Amino acid sequence: MCSSDLSKQKPAAKPAPKAAPPAAEYVYRGGNRAGGALTADEQFLAGQPSTNFVLQIMGSDDPARVRSFIARAGVSLRVYRKMNNGKEWYSVVYGNYATRAAAEKAQKNLPPGLASSKPWVRRLDAVQKEIRAARAL
């Protein structure tokens, strides 16, 4: 290959950008994430029929408390961020049910670690509204 051929070569490809953090990872880092892109959990919740229901397991403004709760839960939970009285707040939800009756049935059959937190049934349109409001900041 002559020197003029070298100048025609394409430069090496740039490294791929880092992948997005796993769902709810931002909870563990702390800090204010007003606005910004939706997490995988928030995308999932936002993409479900607004007439569905979830069980809200807990909420806190303390990311370490949320992280600890999720680690102990032993089941798949979803986290979304909202604003509560001007403070960043993390809500932890479980399940995705087509009817209130199905959600109430699931509520009665939760593992003890979740049942002790006294979860309540929430309609997804309310959750979706909170997700949108937090991103509008």
Side-chain angles (χ1 to χ4, degrees):
M1 186 180 279
C2 71
S3 62
S4 63
D5 289 339
L6 289 175
S7 65
K8 294 179 184 175
Q9 288 182 340
K10 293 182 181 178
K14 293 181 181 178
K18 290 185 177 182
E25 182 179 304
Y26 70 90
V27 170
Y28 310 140
R29 290 194 310 260
N32 189 345
R33 275 211 24 164
L38 298 178
T39 66
D41 284 349
E42 291 166 340
Q43 288 175 15
F44 175 84
L45 293 166
Q48 299 308 301
S50 62
T51 55
N52 280 13
F53 296 84
V54 294
L55 297 177
Q56 180 150 347
I57 304 299
M58 62 103 57
S60 177
D61 64 348
D62 181 354
R65 182 171 179 232
V66 172
R67 181 182 65 239
S68 176
F69 182 88
I70 290 171
R72 289 189 321 265
V75 296
S76 179
L77 300 170
R78 297 193 184 274
V79 178
Y80 71 93
R81 186 187 62 82
K82 67 178 192 170
M83 298 305 286
N84 186 21
N85 294 323
K87 291 179 80 175
E88 195 167 53
W89 191 263
Y90 304 98
S91 294
V92 179
V93 296
Y94 176 77
N96 181 19
Y97 307 96
T99 65
R100 176 175 284 280
E104 288 171 347
K105 182 177 179 181
Q107 183 181 25
K108 293 175 185 172
N109 296 305
L110 286 173
L114 296 184
S116 66
S117 68
K118 299 182 181 170
W120 62 98
V121 175
R122 301 241 3 237
R123 196 165 135 145
L124 262 173
D125 60 349
V127 170
Q128 292 165 341
K129 182 179 178 182
E130 291 174 340
I131 292 170
R132 285 191 303 274
R135 289 304 180 261
L137 299 176

